[in-house]
Amino acid sequence: MNGYFDIPSDLQHSYGGLIAIHMQEALVPVLVGLLLALPVGLLCVHYDWLYPPVLWTSTVLYAIPSIAFFVVLIDYTGLTQLTVMIPLCLYSLVVLVPAVVDGIRSVPEETNAAASAMGIGLARRYFQVQLPIAVPAIMAGLRVAVASSISLVSIGALIGNQGGLGNLLTTAQLYDRPRLAVTSVVTTAVLAIVIDALLVLLRRVLTPWEPPSARAARRSGATTADVAARTPGGVS
């Protein structure tokens, strides 16, 4: 294993430090994106006319190359982690907003009617009735968004070594050490798999009422695939 984990000193971080930075830059934007998507998705459900322009806007933002975002943001945020995380947050919305909308729309009308008849207000109904039922759909979108964000963080290596494990890719080319590139790719893939597994466990904890048959169907990847199919590709 000699050479795979021998991190050059000019990166100013150990192997563990690069993993920590990578995960911070990948997960924080998705968390912020989720916090934005929850109220936006609710508004899109209550006002149907709002959903098409919101979806169109998020899709257009997703289609903008991250390098173009960097060029615009550098003048304001500099060569910092924030410059990397802002585009990732915007990219996550193209998956998370539809996931929230689909989740809320999956709540049976009878359930909403019963909650309304019990005098439960809109805000309380959203948090106590609709969101718990929408968890499977939201978690499916969250899994896609997290996997995408973990892979895209590496692009930050183009702006002052802000790419976490992606910094090893440029260093591998600079010092002609292909083993570092292998370390970067394999570690990134492992992180994506581990985080995805943790999200699956979290979904099971949050949805103890979900029948085993539904869980088996989700393990087949059908729900995630449906969400991913709505996600434009080709971000560079």
Side-chain angles (χ1 to χ4, degrees):
M1 302 298 289
N2 186 31
Y4 287 99
F5 302 101
D6 184 14
I7 309 301
S9 60
D10 57 348
L11 289 182
Q12 300 179 349
H13 291 285
S14 64
Y15 176 66
L18 291 176
I19 291 178
I21 292 174
H22 197 99
M23 296 309 296
Q24 178 185 1
E25 293 182 351
L27 299 183
V28 171
V30 176
L31 177 59
V32 175
L34 179 61
L35 294 177
L36 292 175
L38 289 175
V40 170
L42 179 62
L43 289 175
C44 290
V45 171
H46 283 282
Y47 305 99
D48 291 336
W49 60 268
L50 187 61
Y51 188 38
V54 167
L55 187 59
W56 180 86
T57 302
S58 63
T59 303
V60 169
L61 290 174
Y62 191 93
I64 299 176
S66 52
I67 296 177
F69 270 120
F70 293 162
V71 171
V72 173
L73 292 172
I74 282 176
D75 288 341
Y76 303 96
T77 56
L79 302 177
T80 64
Q81 293 181 349
L82 187 60
T83 302
V84 178
M85 291 191 288
I86 290 176
L88 294 181
C89 176
L90 296 177
Y91 292 156
S92 70
L93 294 177
V94 76
V95 174
L96 295 176
V97 170
V100 172
V101 171
D102 290 346
I104 298 176
R105 286 178 175 174
S106 69
V107 179
E109 286 300 324
E110 296 82 0
T111 302
N112 287 321
S116 179
M118 295 173 62
I120 300 177
L122 290 177
R124 185 181 168 195
R125 187 192 315 168
Y126 180 51
F127 287 104
Q128 295 186 359
V129 178
Q130 294 176 329
L131 274 186
I133 297 177
V135 164
I138 295 175
M139 291 300 293
L142 190 62
R143 291 173 62 189
V144 175
V146 167
S148 175
S149 185
I150 290 176
S151 66
L152 290 174
V153 165
S154 297
I155 302 175
L158 300 175
I159 56 167
N161 287 333
Q162 298 296 335
L165 291 166
N167 297 339
L168 294 178
L169 297 175
T170 56
T171 301
Q173 183 179 17
L174 179 63
Y175 294 109
D176 192 22
R177 295 177 56 185
R179 291 184 177 182
L180 293 178
V182 174
T183 300
S184 174
V185 172
V186 172
T187 305
T188 301
V190 170
L191 289 175
I193 293 172
V194 170
I195 297 300
D196 185 70
L198 292 176
L199 289 175
V200 171
L201 291 176
L202 178 61
R203 187 198 67 215
R204 291 182 179 180
V205 171
L206 295 176
T207 58
W209 42 264
E210 191 175 20
S213 58
R215 291 180 178 176
R218 295 186 189 283
R219 279 199 297 270
S220 68
T223 303
T224 302
D226 290 341
V227 177
R230 295 195 296 265
T231 305
V235 179
S236 58

